[in-house]
Amino acid sequence: MGNRNSYSKTDPDATFMRMKEDHMKKGQLKPGYNVQMATENQFILFYSIHQRPTDTRCFIPHMERLAAFSLPMPKTVIADVGYGSEENYLYAVGEEKEQRFDFLIPYGSYMKEKMRRYKKDIRHASNWTYEEQDDRFICPNGQYVRFKKYQTKKNASGLEQSFKIYECEDCSDCPLKTSCTKAKGNRQVHWNTIWEELKAKAQKALEGDETSAVYARRKVDVESVFGHIKGNRSFWRFSLRGLEKVHTEFGVVALAHNLLKVAGIRLTTFLTKAQNKKSWTENMTFFRPTFYFGDLLDSPLLLILIKHTP
């Protein structure tokens, strides 16, 4: 199965995923594909089909495929919280610290960290006092939480993450221990320095005056495209099987969406011009007695005024 954990016997390229359309409310798994789209002004600029159910691990392959085409790479990538991970942030920043593109992508706990309840929760070491010179935390009980060792782990996608392990001096008689940790021994803090720096960078970008307004338009831009395709055009499932055929089928859907979008814009423009022309004609009819003499209509001043009336 390669990197997948399941496949369908009727379509070996399809992976079992949990769909939003779950009528039985039992989390039923169905064979499907994950469609990723890049849009601008509600036009589909690029799309890719994936066999992974989570959006997080589809971000880099999607951007790599986009880079392989002749389309220019975007200056800013805007995505929802499902794409906010250390791996994706590192890809945006670039290996040589030369940023590939700016990103407006919130991480999983971004909104939760803004809540008053989170900021008062002593379980989170981010709410503790940190002394950079001595590289230690001070817990809510006033105990020092000192650096102990480094530790390296690999996450599900294979990314090697580096952690700094801190441990409290003595938690045996701490009155806050039950609210702080469930560990039997002393409280430990696993601190991912790189991840915290990337989170701070993402938070700063999202909270700018201009960038926050740009991010607010994300739902209008990309979610409405999925809404039109699924809701208005009733495209809920693929008719073909196999990754290559599904890619072609959705290409036809994307093409139809863009053509209908162009047709809608042209129709709106035409109706606007027709309305303006009608309004101009009515005004000319109303003022017709004023322009009774033909020699007045031929004067340069009146020609300019009439020309600019619409």
Side-chain angles (χ1 to χ4, degrees):
M1 291 183 290
N3 296 326
R4 295 184 291 156
N5 58 5
S6 64
Y7 72 93
S8 172
K9 291 188 289 185
T10 57
D11 183 2
D13 287 345
T15 305
F16 280 97
M17 307 178 185
R18 284 185 171 84
M19 306 295 179
K20 292 182 179 179
E21 295 74 33
D22 184 12
H23 303 291
M24 302 297 293
K25 304 297 181 182
K26 295 181 179 180
Q28 183 182 3
L29 296 173
K30 299 178 182 179
Y33 297 89
N34 193 337
V35 180
Q36 299 291 322
M37 292 192 307
T39 66
E40 185 173 0
N41 296 326
Q42 298 182 4
F43 282 94
I44 302 175
L45 304 182
F46 185 77
Y47 72 93
S48 57
I49 310 295
H50 302 264
Q51 298 168 296
R52 293 172 175 171
T54 57
D55 293 334
T56 309
R57 298 179 64 183
C58 294
F59 179 78
I60 295 178
H62 178 78
M63 299 304 299
E64 289 290 336
R65 295 176 192 179
L66 175 60
F69 277 75
S70 58
L71 291 172
M73 290 296 290
K75 294 181 180 179
T76 304
V77 173
I78 308 167
D80 64 16
V81 67
Y83 301 88
S85 68
E86 181 179 352
E87 188 175 7
N88 292 341
Y89 286 168
L90 287 173
Y91 177 80
V93 171
E95 297 178 358
E96 304 297 331
K97 300 300 180 181
E98 295 179 2
Q99 190 147 320
R100 286 189 173 94
F101 45 79
D102 295 329
F103 60 91
L104 296 175
I105 307 174
Y107 47 91
S109 59
Y110 173 71
M111 294 302 299
K112 188 183 295 184
E113 290 179 5
K114 290 179 171 293
M115 299 176 65
R116 185 182 303 175
R117 182 178 178 182
Y118 182 93
K119 294 178 180 179
K120 291 185 177 181
D121 194 340
I122 63 175
R123 292 177 299 173
H124 307 296
S126 58
N127 297 328
W128 297 357
T129 302
Y130 175 72
E131 295 180 346
E132 186 175 0
Q133 184 176 358
D134 298 321
D135 192 16
R136 65 188 182 187
F137 290 92
I138 301 177
C139 77
N141 194 37
Q143 298 290 327
Y144 289 124
V145 184
R146 304 180 188 275
F147 170 73
K148 185 178 180 180
K149 62 179 180 179
Y150 288 99
Q151 188 176 12
T152 303
K153 297 179 182 178
K154 280 189 176 181
N155 62 8
S157 61
L159 177 67
E160 197 171 79
Q161 297 174 304
S162 179
F163 293 88
K164 296 179 71 176
I165 310 300
Y166 297 82
E167 187 172 328
C168 188
E169 294 176 334
D170 186 15
C171 295
S172 56
D173 297 326
C174 179
L176 304 175
K177 185 176 179 179
T178 55
S179 303
C180 181
T181 180
K182 295 181 180 179
K184 294 182 179 180
N186 294 332
R187 167 69 191 270
Q188 285 190 346
V189 175
H190 294 231
W191 192 260
N192 186 341
T193 306
I194 297 176
W195 174 230
E196 295 299 328
E197 290 179 357
L198 292 171
K199 284 169 60 179
K201 182 179 179 64
Q203 184 177 3
K204 183 179 179 181
L206 289 164
E207 293 178 354
D209 293 335
E210 295 183 2
T211 52
S212 60
V214 172
Y215 183 78
R217 295 199 300 268
R218 184 201 66 83
K219 292 182 179 180
V220 179
D221 199 300
V222 67
E223 299 296 347
S224 60
V225 176
F226 281 107
H228 283 303
I229 291 175
K230 297 174 69 175
N232 296 340
R233 290 160 204 147
S234 301
F235 186 80
W236 292 93
R237 61 179 60 195
F238 292 104
S239 301
L240 304 178
R241 297 178 183 178
L243 188 61
E244 185 177 352
K245 292 182 179 180
V246 165
H247 188 274
T248 303
E249 183 177 358
F250 191 80
V252 175
V253 173
L255 179 62
H257 170 81
N258 287 347
L259 290 174
L260 288 171
K261 185 71 178 175
V262 172
I265 292 174
R266 296 192 63 171
L267 177 60
T268 302
T269 305
F270 172 78
L271 292 176
T272 302
K273 288 183 177 180
Q275 183 66 29
N276 291 339
K277 185 177 180 181
K278 181 181 179 181
S279 177
W280 174 79
T281 305
E282 290 175 352
N283 291 336
M284 288 296 295
T285 304
F286 178 79
F287 290 109
R288 184 171 297 173
T290 307
F291 301 139
Y292 182 80
F293 298 101
D295 56 340
L296 290 176
L297 288 174
D298 294 335
S299 65
L301 177 60
L302 289 178
L303 285 175
I304 295 173
L305 291 175
I306 294 172
K307 183 178 180 181
H308 287 77
T309 299

